[in-house]
Amino acid sequence: MSTVTEIFSSRVFDDAVMQQRLPKETYKALRQAINIGKRLDMDVANVVANAMKDWAIELGATHYTHWFQPMTGITAEKHDSFISPTGDGRIIMEFSGKELIKGEPDASSFPSGGLRATFEARGYTAWDPTSYAFIKDGVLCIPTAFCSYGGEALDKKTPLLRSMEAVNKQALRILKLFGISDAQAVKTEVGPEQEYFLVPVELYDRRRDLVYTGRTLFGAKPPKCQDLDDHYFGVIKPRVAAFMKELNEELWKLGILAKTEHNEAAPAQHELAPIFSTTNIATDHNQLTMELMQKIARRHGMVCLLHEKPFEGVTGSGKHNNWSLSTDTGVNLVKPGETPAENAQFLLFLVAVIKAVDEYQDLLRISAASAGNDHRLGAHEAPPAVVSMFLGDELNAILDSIKNDTPYNAREKELLKVGVHVLPRFPKDTTDRNRTSPFAFTGNKFEFRMVGSAASISDANTMINTAVAEELRQFADELETAENFEEALHDLIRRVIRAHDRIIFNGNGYDDAWIAEAEKRGLMNLPTTPDALPHLLDEKNIKLFTTHKVFSETELHARCEIMQENYCKIVNIEALTMLEMARREILPAAAGYVSTLVDSVCKKHEVGIDAGYEKDLAAELSALCASVNRGVKALEDVLDNVPEGDKTAQSMYYKNAVLPAMAEVRAAADKLEVLCPADRWPIPTYGDLLFGVK
Ligand code: ADP
Ligand code: MG
């Protein structure tokens, strides 16, 4: 049995392997390309490719793939083998620099939102050398970005990399103003906490809704759910523990820093958190984590549900996106410092984030928008759909004193002057974290909690990075021309706090009173995905993305359309699944039971026994069956009238007409479930699913 240190990163073509296997010059050229984004020339690429191939073959790989993240789905890969014929009926194993750097998958069925005309349906993939190649299931996977021939992004990684570049550029300007010259790069770093459910595979297979849509479309609440809170951080069941052990080992082999695992709030719900890393790598790793969770669960007779709300009335799953900014010299720029200068710098980055969150609330909301997450946000278990920020009492008091020109505490007479005074110490608060806040400062990072469990974190980070880059750009423009830097800095910070403190809310985000208060403050409330998505194309947002070259206007239109289309497709599949289950499983089962009851009533009458119970129940069930059937017909009608064309109107229709019609069917069917005998109900119940893993 190998130790963790031995297996860690054993399937990754990482720095240690590169150093060991590449000639010195090649290694240096590759390192430069990785560190400062320099282009590799073909000679270097050929040497790297060959070394990579030899290494991969030694580890049993026979194929390679350009591994990328399309705009929908987890990841995409098309395998090519290394074999190349030699002309004498034999083969050699080959892999060239050209094949490493650029791939041309025939990717015409990936959604492009009209970016690719069919006559040039091929896109190309380009190696992202900052994310190491790795071996998965005998395939050498090369992390890549995916673009059209015109250079438009067709994936989630390209804009993410562009947004990281934008923050890097602007943050370096700010650091220069503070006289910091040793940092050559500023990176955003992320640690995503991943929540998920595990259910027994044999029960999962009997639920068409889980199989087709990832969530239950029917299901009455069981007598016990999460009322006792006895699952949270509870003892992990042996089968789950075995799953987690294997998952950790597989993740470690891929160099993924899986760190913590525990039971979550709901029964059958769990969480895995890695140690944070550079954002594009953290994103790749999170995609791999989701993939491996699903694959490994199967080996243990379970299915991993990544849907945001697999069970109605039971806490759903999210993905807390812990975000920070740091220099290549290892300084975390969103951590309060020790000296006045460090603190001034911290406050400047802090207010940049505050301003970014306030001005681009809509973009953050959009980055967490999906049909699945709509069932979770604002459901009194996850942050509301209104974006706000939590800073904690200590930091709040400091910002208040700057804002109002008042002493930070009564004993101090002098006013707090940014850049001159040491900030009063505020302990990293670990006790009273506000779990209800969508965007919380937690001592040395910001935790964005709206992201759904099934989503890629690339969207959220693309938005955060770009918005913060824009604020830093404005700050740098202003401060670079200031005559008195300290004065200008103080004024700027105070001005930003005064203009944007409406976004700060330290109270209970689950409280309905907050939604009313938020409206008074003029904050945006975009309750659902169809409400949120059109804002992607608001003028201010187009300006933001084009200024920082993260998205072109064409790319934004394409993304908006793809997301709207995806929403419509998902709700449509759910509605069709519901119709099928109601007609082919639920109604026949319930009607069958009614006829058994009726038979019994007749028989009892014959022998003169009172059949009141059976009669009443049969009548009640019959009425409910009729009600389900009416709901089914109504849903069918609604689906027949989906408007063609305009995607905004279509997504609104799915939300306003289809979802409510589905709710009607469900309400009646769930009542039937409660009245039918367990052995007659055709699908596993919530109780079976949530408590089925022993
Ligand atoms: P919790 O939020 O559950 O209390 P932690 O604070 O330990 O847990 O961390 C949660 C996640 O935040 C982990 O993935 C951790 O690696 C990540 N994290 C910690 N520090 C930073 C940081 N400076 N930047 C980004 N992520 C961080
Ligand atoms: Mg957390």
Side-chain angles (χ1 to χ4, degrees), residues 189-193 271 273-276 322-324 332 428 433 435 444-445 447:
E189 301 195 297
V190 164
E193 300 165 63
E271 182 190 289
I275 297 173
F276 65 98
N322 294 273
W323 178 96
S324 67
N332 180 352
K428 184 181 165 193
R433 297 264 189 90
R435 295 256 153 214
N444 60 356
K445 61 184 179 345
E447 195 168 332

Side-chain angles (χ1 to χ4, degrees), residues 176-196:
K176 211 162 148 207
L177 288 166
F178 283 91
I180 293 172
S181 53
D182 59 340
Q184 292 207 322
V186 172
K187 294 174 300 178
T188 61
E189 301 195 297
V190 164
E193 300 165 63
Q194 176 74 48
E195 292 180 330
Y196 59 97

Side-chain angles (χ1 to χ4, degrees), residues 519-645:
E519 196 180 324
K520 260 195 249 153
R521 293 189 187 188
L523 300 181
M524 295 178 98
N525 185 3
L526 302 168
T528 70
T529 299
D531 300 311
L533 290 179
H535 289 280
L536 190 61
L537 303 176
D538 286 358
E539 207 178 310
K540 75 168 175 66
N541 296 332
I542 293 182
K543 185 148 179 274
L544 171 78
F545 289 120
T546 50
T547 303
H548 294 277
K549 302 194 167 47
V550 171
F551 288 117
S552 67
E553 194 168 340
T554 323
E555 286 172 335
L556 283 173
H557 279 275
R559 299 242 153 189
C560 186
E561 193 180 309
I562 289 170
M563 287 191 281
Q564 287 176 328
E565 201 172 270
N566 196 242
Y567 176 89
C568 296
K569 279 185 185 160
I570 288 171
V571 180
N572 194 53
I573 292 170
E574 288 180 349
L576 295 177
T577 305
M578 192 161 214
L579 291 177
E580 183 178 303
M581 288 174 75
R583 285 207 169 114
R584 304 190 56 198
E585 296 183 293
I586 291 173
L587 286 173
Y593 181 48
V594 171
S595 73
T596 308
L597 288 171
V598 171
D599 285 350
S600 156
V601 172
C602 297
K603 282 199 186 110
K604 281 188 170 178
H605 271 301
E606 278 168 24
V607 291
I609 300 175
D610 176 55
Y613 160 68
E614 288 90 339
K615 211 169 154 189
D616 288 353
L617 186 54
E620 196 177 349
L621 286 170
S622 272
L624 283 170
C625 286
S627 168
V628 172
N629 195 40
R630 272 195 305 277
V632 161
K633 292 251 186 294
L635 178 56
E636 214 167 36
D637 274 352
V638 165
L639 288 176
D640 280 343
N641 290 304
V642 175
E644 301 271 322

Side-chain angles (χ1 to χ4, degrees), residues 312-597:
E312 197 172 271
V314 177
T315 302
S317 302
K319 181 137 58 190
H320 292 175
N321 186 81
N322 294 273
W323 178 96
S324 67
L325 259 184
S326 76
T327 64
D328 57 345
T329 51
V331 180
N332 180 352
L333 299 171
V334 295
K335 186 178 169 198
E338 302 286 332
T339 65
E342 281 170 1
N343 275 324
Q345 189 186 300
F346 161 71
L347 283 175
L348 190 65
F349 281 104
L350 174 70
V351 297
V353 178
I354 293 174
K355 187 165 182 282
V357 174
D358 188 30
E359 288 181 340
Y360 300 103
Q361 298 162 41
D362 45 357
L363 292 183
L364 290 177
R365 173 66 187 89
I366 289 167
S367 78
S370 68
N373 216 16
D374 279 0
H375 299 288
R376 175 179 162 261
L377 295 179
H380 296 265
E381 54 164 60
V386 177
V387 176
S388 69
M389 269 178 100
F390 168 82
L391 297 178
D393 292 343
E394 305 280 344
L395 196 49
N396 238 18
I398 290 165
L399 294 191
D400 272 346
S401 79
I402 298 172
K403 171 180 154 192
N404 304 320
D405 281 326
T406 50
Y408 167 66
N409 70 38
R411 269 171 292 132
E412 277 177 64
K413 296 219 171 48
E414 231 181 335
L415 299 180
L416 186 77
K417 198 100 170 88
V418 173
V420 179
H421 291 131
V422 181
L423 285 189
R425 284 198 157 265
F426 41 97
K428 184 181 165 193
D429 196 348
T430 47
T431 47
D432 107 304
R433 297 264 189 90
N434 186 334
R435 295 256 153 214
T436 68
S437 175
F439 205 102
F441 178 68
T442 48
N444 60 356
K445 61 184 179 345
F446 293 90
E447 195 168 332
F448 180 42
R449 305 198 177 110
M450 288 169 87
V451 185
S453 49
S456 157
I457 55 170
S458 46
D459 288 342
N461 290 295
T462 300
M463 303 300 188
I464 300 172
N465 293 347
T466 313
V468 170
E470 169 59 18
E471 310 307 351
L472 295 177
R473 181 192 70 79
Q474 291 178 17
F475 293 179
D477 281 355
E478 182 173 332
L479 295 173
E480 276 166 359
T481 55
E483 287 187 4
N484 180 332
F485 177 67
E486 239 138 57
E487 288 283 325
L489 181 65
H490 187 89
D491 284 352
L492 172 65
I493 290 176
R494 189 176 48 197
R495 187 160 21 95
V496 174
I497 299 170
R498 284 181 181 170
H500 298 284
D501 69 346
R502 64 172 186 168
I503 196 73
I504 296 166
F505 175 65
N506 291 308
N508 181 1
Y510 296 174
D511 198 341
D512 291 334
W514 161 236
I515 302 301
E517 159 75 16
E519 196 180 324
K520 260 195 249 153
R521 293 189 187 188
L523 300 181
M524 295 178 98
N525 185 3
L526 302 168
T528 70
T529 299
D531 300 311
L533 290 179
H535 289 280
L536 190 61
L537 303 176
D538 286 358
E539 207 178 310
K540 75 168 175 66
N541 296 332
I542 293 182
K543 185 148 179 274
L544 171 78
F545 289 120
T546 50
T547 303
H548 294 277
K549 302 194 167 47
V550 171
F551 288 117
S552 67
E553 194 168 340
T554 323
E555 286 172 335
L556 283 173
H557 279 275
R559 299 242 153 189
C560 186
E561 193 180 309
I562 289 170
M563 287 191 281
Q564 287 176 328
E565 201 172 270
N566 196 242
Y567 176 89
C568 296
K569 279 185 185 160
I570 288 171
V571 180
N572 194 53
I573 292 170
E574 288 180 349
L576 295 177
T577 305
M578 192 161 214
L579 291 177
E580 183 178 303
M581 288 174 75
R583 285 207 169 114
R584 304 190 56 198
E585 296 183 293
I586 291 173
L587 286 173
Y593 181 48
V594 171
S595 73
T596 308
L597 288 171

